[in-house]
Amino acid sequence: MGPLPYDLRPLMVFGACRDHTGVVDQGDLLAAVELQAQLGSAVRLVEAGALTENEIREDLILIGGNSLTGSVLERLDGVLSLGFAENGSSVYDRKSGFAASPRYDDAGEPRVDYGLVIRAANPFAPETAEVVVVAGCGSHGTAAAAEAFDQAEALGGYRHFEALVETTVFRGSHRDTFVREARGIA
């Protein structure tokens, strides 16, 4: 039997590191490893800038703040009540007005970080594909968002949802991750 004519594995999409070195961000890598373990299936890895018009209409897993994540969040703007501030420095809740910003110690080291987990119909192909977004204000928030993806009880058991995730950072590692708010979306 030959290979399938169409690869059904979801696309896991990365962007370049936030400091523009071309290296993938550490939090994005941790998120990818975590999601791969949770999904238990193979994915196709691709850089956001290398996607074709057809590929953006497939099942997507968007890791971190890349160009496609921004486009997807823009297209879901009327659906979501959680989102990132324009510069990505905080997560805001349109319903309550709450803004969650990372906190740092006196030396400038992160102590608390936030992330978003979203599962929705892919806005580029809403009838046929889904999109998962795990992204954070910082690297720790992105990795924590991926960990929270499989917390079905905390996420309310919704098929499509948005969730604000909070994590404590201690000695350069995130710990004590929890879902602060989860809502079903249409």
Side-chain angles (χ1 to χ4, degrees):
M1 178 177 203
L4 293 173
Y6 179 75
D7 194 341
L8 298 177
R9 296 175 299 166
L11 284 165
M12 186 174 284
V13 182
F14 291 90
C17 187
R18 290 177 179 103
D19 65 6
H20 306 292
T21 61
V23 177
V24 175
D25 182 81
Q26 180 181 1
D28 294 1
L29 287 175
L30 291 171
V33 169
E34 176 66 31
L35 288 170
Q36 179 70 37
Q38 289 178 31
L39 295 172
S41 64
V43 296
R44 294 175 289 154
L45 300 174
V46 64
E47 199 274 323
L51 285 168
T52 67
E53 282 291 317
N54 288 333
E55 287 173 328
I56 66 169
R57 291 176 173 79
E58 296 181 26
D59 290 327
L60 301 173
I61 301 167
L62 306 179
I63 308 288
N66 60 64
S67 59
L68 185 56
T69 299
S71 295
V72 166
L73 292 177
E74 276 182 31
R75 288 178 176 254
L76 292 173
D77 189 47
V79 175
L80 302 175
S81 58
L82 296 170
F84 287 102
E86 278 192 38
N87 60 5
S89 63
S90 63
V91 177
Y92 63 92
D93 182 343
R94 289 186 196 108
K95 285 187 177 183
S96 69
F98 176 76
S101 298
R103 294 190 299 274
Y104 301 88
D105 65 16
D106 293 339
E109 294 297 318
R111 289 295 168 232
V112 176
D113 201 358
Y114 294 92
L116 288 180
V117 184
I118 299 164
R119 181 177 178 180
N122 182 335
F124 295 103
E127 301 299 320
T128 59
E130 291 189 326
V131 63
V132 170
V133 176
V134 292
C137 296
S139 294
H140 301 290
T142 299
E147 284 180 10
F149 179 70
D150 75 344
Q151 296 179 12
E153 187 175 304
L155 297 172
Y158 303 108
R159 177 174 176 81
H160 292 152
F161 61 86
E162 60 182 341
L164 171 62
V165 176
E166 181 176 326
T167 190
T168 302
V169 181
F170 181 73
R171 293 186 181 172
S173 297
H174 65 281
R175 298 176 170 20
D176 303 324
T177 297
F178 69 96
V179 175
R180 185 177 179 107
E181 180 75 37
R183 300 180 183 126
I185 58 174

